[in-house]
Amino acid sequence: MVITADAIDPVACYAQLQDHSCGACVTFEGWVRNHQDGREVRSLEYEVYHPLAVSEGERVIAEARARHPVTHALCVHREGHLELGDLAVWVGVSSPHRDESFLAARMVIDQIKVRLPIWKKEHYLDGDSGWVNCERCANHGHAHS
Amino acid sequence: MVITADAIDPVACYAQLQDHSCGACVTFEGWVRNHQDGREVRSLEYEVYHPLAVSEGERVIAEARARHPVTHALCVHREGHLELGDLAVWVGVSSPHRDESFLAARMVIDQIKVRLPIWKKEHYLDGDSGWVNCERCANHGHAHS
Amino acid sequence: MMKTVTVQYFAAYREAVGHAEEQVETTAATADALFEQLQAMHPSLERFEAMRVAINDAMAGWPDAIADGDTVLVFPPVAGG
Amino acid sequence: MMKTVTVQYFAAYREAVGHAEEQVETTAATADALFEQLQAMHPSLERFEAMRVAINDAMAGWPDAIADGDTVLVFPPVAGG
């Protein structure tokens, strides 16, 4: 689990998954989207509490690997200011067969989104801004990407 | 749907998925694996019947998009001789939210593997070689990546 | 009724038969009946549950009718990906 | 028994409270009871079902006990990805 203030390089990440014993590779990328709940988004900030984001991210990856045996599994999450289209989170998995890679990648991103101490502040086109509640938050329940 | 005798460039493919309205991108890559049913693989050839591989591939993508509305969905498949680790098939999908991208990518690769007129001949380390039957083939049922 | 069709073989079937294409005189009404005739001509042509057929560059079913002048593509089990 | 704990606020909670960290004197036995006290001190501190707590850099539960000298991290609902 890597938290970085620099732009994520998906090609460099991907190189770490390559393995001649693997026939399948699944990647998930979360991009900064120009709309959220009907509002136009201009940019956003991620705030990350490093020590626990890293340890909880490692735990998520270990749990996904235990349930879906894959050969490589990695996750990188941005912090700081991001513009539209920027890569916010990258998950990559490789395995001999494709079933495990799809399932592990899905489990990692689903858990990363609800368990890691990472917060997102959206800046809207109308000049307003606000912290986004998590997708399982009961008070403001709505789905994110 | 693209069939190519040249190496697939995943970065160039991926660029076609980028869209500010999308918050999620899922890619699947099929790589040439060094083992199959307990045999050590050295390299392989794909034979493709172009006209129907392209039209059936377009149909698969359209069906996946109809079931899982995504913004972009692409598939590229190699033909000819491939070495270990080479990218044999690339599937990429982007959408506002991640659920549709995961489901569409999975549906595309599952259907591509069983419906397109593409055949794989494996060359084994022991000098032998043989055509691989499809993963749903009743006579020689076994799972591939 | 005697028809002439063009049969094309792919991958394992091409290697089993020894050539990629041939003209076949047939009275077979369906693709499936034609395949039986092809097996009689080429004993090495194995029947697989996952084998597929296309007629005139469109995916077809084995019970589909064949007509004089058709091009029939005989596909062994596919293995893309 | 009176304890002194360090409370750290993040994201929306930091902005609601106006600072990132404070020392709090408390008799609260659990993290949950401490949160009630923090809400009394900072009426803008909203309770969310998805809010989380960590004690001394380990994820914890709201019913967990707090001890003198602990650092308690108060996390508003997370939104990574």
Side-chain angles (χ1 to χ4, degrees), chain A residues 29-74:
Chain A
E29 296 192 4
W31 297 339
V32 178
R33 194 179 50 205
N34 62 10
H35 61 96
Q36 180 62 41
D37 294 327
R39 301 188 72 170
E40 290 183 279
V41 174
R42 182 166 52 83
S43 65
L44 55 79
E45 321 283 331
Y46 281 106
E47 175 176 336
V48 178
Y49 182 63
H50 276 243
L52 275 176
V54 170
S55 62
E56 195 70 4
E58 300 286 359
R59 193 167 294 126
V60 161
I61 292 168
E63 289 171 13
R65 296 179 70 127
R67 179 136 3 143
H68 308 292
V70 296
T71 309
H72 302 281
L74 298 168

Side-chain angles (χ1 to χ4, degrees), chain A residues 46-47 49 51-52 56 77 89 113-121 131-135 137-140, chain D residues 8-12 14-15 46-50 52 54 57-59 73-81:
Chain A
Y46 281 106
E47 175 176 336
Y49 182 63
L52 275 176
E56 195 70 4
H77 202 295
V89 56
K113 281 175 173 264
V114 297
R115 284 170 52 182
L116 269 58
I118 299 178
W119 301 275
K120 176 159 62 177
K121 186 180 217 168
W131 292 99
V132 175
N133 284 315
C134 97
E135 58 187 72
C137 175
N139 306 54
H140 300 269
Chain D
Q8 291 184 349
Y9 299 100
F10 294 85
R14 184 185 58 249
E15 293 187 359
E46 199 178 350
R47 179 180 284 273
F48 292 100
E49 188 173 320
R52 293 285 176 267
D57 271 352
M59 294 306 298
L73 312 180
V74 179
F75 295 153
V78 301

Side-chain angles (χ1 to χ4, degrees), chain A residues 92-114:
Chain A
V93 177
S94 60
S95 55
H97 301 276
R98 74 184 178 285
D99 205 40
E100 290 77 8
S101 276
F102 269 106
L103 293 170
R106 184 65 197 258
M107 184 172 162
V108 168
I109 185 60
D110 286 355
Q111 294 293 306
I112 289 290
K113 281 175 173 264
V114 297

Side-chain angles (χ1 to χ4, degrees), chain D residues 18 28 71:
Chain D
T71 296

